[in-house]
Amino acid sequence: MEQKDLDYFRKLLNDMLEEAQQKGDATLDDLTDNSEMFADPADRATAESDRAFTLRIRDRERKLIKKIRSAIARLDEGSFGICDECGEDIGIARLKARPVTKLCINCKSKQEEDERQRAD
C-alpha cells in the first residue's frame, strides 16, 4: 500500500474515532441529565425502553472505538491492510467500505458461510 493510501486511512480512522467518542460523550450526557419523573407507568416504560436502546447503541459505539484503535495500531506497526487469515492484501475498495476490517473479502465470505452453516 502506498504512503498516500496509509495517510488517507489514518485520517479516516482518526475522524471516525473522534466522531464515535463525541457521540458517546453526548449519549452519556443525555443519560445523566435526564432525571424526569413519570407518574404514568406507560410513560416510564417508554422512557426505560428508550434508555435501553440508547445504551445498546452506546455499547456498539464502544466496540467500534476498540476496533478503530486496533486498526490505527495496525497502521502504526505496518500490518494494516493485510488479511489476518490468508496474509494477502485487503483491497482498497474493501478498506474504504470497512476501514476496521481484518479480513479480505474472500476470507470474510468464507467466515460468513461457515457461520450460516453452523446456524442451520
Side-chain angles (χ1 to χ4, degrees):
M1 191 177 303
E2 296 180 20
Q3 186 60 42
K4 66 179 177 92
D5 295 326
L6 294 173
D7 293 341
Y8 168 81
F9 286 113
R10 182 175 303 280
K11 180 178 178 347
L12 179 65
L13 289 165
N14 283 323
D15 290 347
M16 288 173 62
L17 180 61
E18 185 177 326
E19 181 182 344
Q21 288 174 329
Q22 287 175 354
K23 285 181 180 178
D25 292 344
T27 300
L28 292 177
D29 289 343
D30 288 346
L31 290 174
T32 55
D33 288 345
N34 191 358
S35 59
E36 295 180 43
M37 299 297 286
F38 299 100
D40 183 16
D43 290 341
R44 185 173 43 238
T46 299
E48 286 299 316
S49 176
D50 290 347
R51 179 181 165 95
F53 181 72
T54 301
L55 289 172
R56 282 195 306 272
I57 291 172
R58 177 65 185 122
D59 187 53
R60 291 185 73 189
E61 288 170 350
R62 182 187 54 81
K63 290 176 184 176
L64 178 60
I65 288 170
K66 185 177 175 183
K67 288 179 182 180
I68 294 169
R69 287 185 176 148
S70 175
I72 292 171
R74 290 193 309 277
L75 267 169
D76 293 340
E77 67 189 27
S79 62
F80 180 81
I82 299 172
C83 180
D84 280 0
E85 288 290 317
C86 68
E88 296 293 321
D89 287 343
I90 300 171
I92 297 290
R94 172 142 173 80
L95 287 170
K96 284 182 177 179
R98 183 81 174 147
V100 297
T101 190
K102 294 180 174 184
L103 300 175
C104 68
I105 193 69
N106 293 333
C107 290
K108 184 62 177 175
S109 296
K110 184 180 182 302
Q111 180 189 54
E112 289 173 353
E113 182 62 32
D114 291 345
E115 288 172 0
R116 272 194 295 274
Q117 288 177 355
R118 277 186 257 130
D120 290 343

